[in-house]
Amino acid sequence: MDSSGACPHASNAALLAKGAAAEVLLPGDVPAAAVLGHEALREFIGHPDVAKNARHFTALCEGRIPDGWPLRTFATVQGMVTSDGDDHRRLRSLVSKAFTARRVEALRPGIERLTDDLLDGTETAAARADDGVVDLRAHFALPLPMSVICELLGVDEEFRDRLHVLSNQVVATDIAPEEAVAANREMVAVLTAVAASRKDRPGEDLTSALIAAREEGGDRLGEAELIGTMIVMIIAGHETTLNLITNAVRALCAHPDQLELIRAGGADWADAVEETLRWDSPVSFFPFRYPVRDLTVDGTLIPAGTPVLAGFSAAGRDPAAHGPDADRFDITRRTRSTTRHLSLGHGTHFCLGAPLARMETTIALRRLFTRFPDLRVTVPEEELPRHRSFVGNSVRELPVVLR
């Protein structure tokens, strides 16, 4: 796997041309597999003999994975994403109440106000720049989902910038071992401090609710599970939506005909969100799943205990599922196709925050392009600096002019 995250779609196409699954090497020469084809991935994710708990990760259990391995947190963090069966249902039920349709819809007015405030700030930053160029990712796409998830979790503002930096380091796949260890330790320390403050001063937030559930139920939520759940929520709750907003803006600016189609009423902003999820998934390869017995996927043998990457960005452009024009950005596609993308997961581990991410991104795009109809990216796509990761799929900066 390319730890630098460069040219992800070209790499995906090369792998996918060889089959729906492939043997790969992870950083540190750890043998692994990737499932890339749409149908193969859908079946693999839902297979009864595929687990999420790292007790099925043979190399980890045998002590062959060092503490500084850049992907170790994805395997060892305790929470919904690394649990199966009853444990998964228990942990998911504790969090799911915050993401019901009613609770998410109740957030809409606040998200709309926050969006407008951030656009005010973005416009001010652009006015102060000599050339009028502003980094839309830093000023708009990042603080929107970060503020929303931190409000949900009860994370004070003083911690937010640092948590974003640490999240970036946790998901980086080219980070040095000592940096990976330090980032994970600091992430745990910061969120432990957040949990302590919520225990002393509980509020109407998810962390307070998790602490209450833990204390009322005794063994319902252990300390490591509490912090692990917070880690997962912070990373998944803002990194994914940050990438989705950034990728959608890039796609629409690069395809003005699609943007005009929305303005003419031939499609809506939700269509643009869904096509971005398929065409340029915010997550490229998500770690990990483990077959509990030897499995063969499209002719590739995946031995029991192998760490497997879910290739969401590759599956989104799989011609076998999305047609010969799968690499074309077309916001009318979902009205003509019965094949849905897998970018937010599938089955029991489908992303709990999917309705919130969709709503945030739809609001962001509508208000951004309504206010700044002439917005354009100032740097060619191939010159935008990529994420240093094959997990997250986006760029690190998005310089634009607003008018």
Side-chain angles (χ1 to χ4, degrees):
M1 301 299 296
D2 182 356
S3 296
S4 72
C7 303
H9 295 298
S11 300
N12 290 346
L15 279 174
L16 195 54
K18 299 176 182 178
E23 297 176 2
V24 297
L25 274 181
L26 299 176
D29 291 337
V30 175
V35 180
L36 312 106
H38 174 94
E39 189 59 27
L41 181 57
R42 190 186 68 81
E43 292 181 4
F44 184 80
I45 287 174
H47 200 289
D49 293 321
V50 172
K52 293 281 281 178
N53 193 300
R55 66 187 178 88
H56 301 286
F57 186 175
T58 301
L60 181 69
C61 295
E62 293 179 352
R64 293 186 278 123
I65 302 297
D67 286 345
W69 191 53
L71 294 165
R72 188 180 175 99
T73 296
F74 287 101
T76 59
V77 65
Q78 294 190 36
M80 291 180 295
V81 296
T82 55
S83 60
D84 302 300
D86 290 342
D87 272 344
H88 177 253
R89 284 186 286 273
R90 171 177 59 88
L91 293 167
R92 191 176 176 97
S93 69
L94 291 171
V95 177
S96 61
K97 295 172 186 175
F99 295 97
T100 63
R102 179 185 295 179
R103 291 291 296 272
V104 169
E105 187 57 33
L107 297 172
R108 181 183 294 276
I111 293 173
E112 291 176 339
R113 287 193 297 272
L114 174 61
T115 300
D116 289 340
D117 289 344
L118 291 172
L119 290 175
D120 288 344
T122 303
E123 187 169 26
T124 299
R128 289 173 178 166
D130 292 339
D131 56 2
V133 176
V134 63
D135 183 357
L136 192 73
R137 181 177 174 87
H139 285 86
F140 179 65
L142 164 60
L144 177 58
M146 191 63 169
S147 297
V148 172
I149 195 63
C150 284
E151 285 293 327
L152 276 175
L153 283 170
V155 176
D156 294 331
E157 197 162 338
E158 64 188 280
F159 296 115
R160 296 179 186 181
D161 287 346
R162 189 60 188 158
L163 283 173
H164 170 65
V165 172
L166 293 170
S167 294
N168 264 250
Q169 293 175 321
V170 168
V171 302
T173 51
D174 68 345
I175 191 170
E178 60 274 13
E179 292 179 290
V181 171
N184 279 281
R185 285 178 178 168
E186 188 179 351
M187 174 78 87
V188 170
V190 170
L191 292 178
T192 299
V194 171
S197 70
R198 294 283 70 79
K199 185 174 182 180
D200 292 340
R201 297 180 288 108
E204 299 296 320
D205 56 80
L206 181 55
T207 302
S208 297
L210 291 172
I211 292 170
R214 173 187 167 200
E215 294 181 345
E216 292 167 8
D219 62 351
R220 289 202 73 201
L221 191 71
E223 177 71 18
E225 289 177 329
L226 171 63
I227 301 303
T229 297
M230 294 174 71
I231 291 173
V232 170
M233 297 290 292
I234 286 289
I235 295 176
H238 93 279
E239 288 279 355
T240 303
T241 308
L242 161 60
N243 290 349
L244 178 55
I245 294 171
T246 303
N247 293 356
V249 173
R250 288 164 53 218
L252 288 168
C253 286
H255 299 84
D257 60 316
Q258 301 291 290
L259 188 55
E260 185 55 38
L261 188 62
I262 296 172
R263 289 172 171 152
D268 58 36
W269 298 108
D271 294 322
V273 172
E274 294 308 308
E275 180 65 349
T276 302
L277 282 164
R278 180 201 70 84
W279 185 74
D280 204 10
S281 170
V283 174
S284 199
F285 288 89
F286 192 80
F288 290 116
R289 286 174 167 82
Y290 318 93
V292 300
R293 64 174 178 83
D294 292 358
L295 291 178
T296 299
V297 179
D298 194 40
T300 296
L301 174 65
I302 305 179
T306 300
V308 181
L309 300 169
F312 294 124
S313 62
R317 296 197 185 190
D318 181 2
H322 301 289
D325 66 342
D327 62 352
R328 184 167 66 91
F329 182 74
D330 177 7
I331 62 175
T332 68
R333 185 183 304 270
R334 75 169 179 157
T335 63
R336 298 181 283 102
S337 173
T338 58
T339 302
R340 300 299 302 273
H341 63 77
L342 300 171
S343 294
L344 295 169
H346 172 68
T348 57
H349 283 275
F350 182 80
C351 176
L352 260 180
L356 180 58
R358 283 174 161 134
M359 185 173 76
E360 287 181 62
T361 307
T362 302
I363 290 171
L365 295 178
R366 178 186 295 115
R367 286 172 127 73
L368 173 68
F369 283 105
T370 298
R371 182 160 173 174
F372 306 114
D374 298 322
L375 181 145
R376 62 181 177 85
V377 180
T378 61
V379 175
E381 175 67 24
E382 62 274 12
E383 295 179 17
L384 292 170
R386 300 286 315 179
H387 258 319
R388 299 182 306 155
S389 174
F390 55 74
V391 178
N393 174 43
S394 193
V395 295
R396 299 199 306 272
E397 300 170 8
L398 189 61
V400 303
V401 288
L402 301 176
R403 303 185 189 281

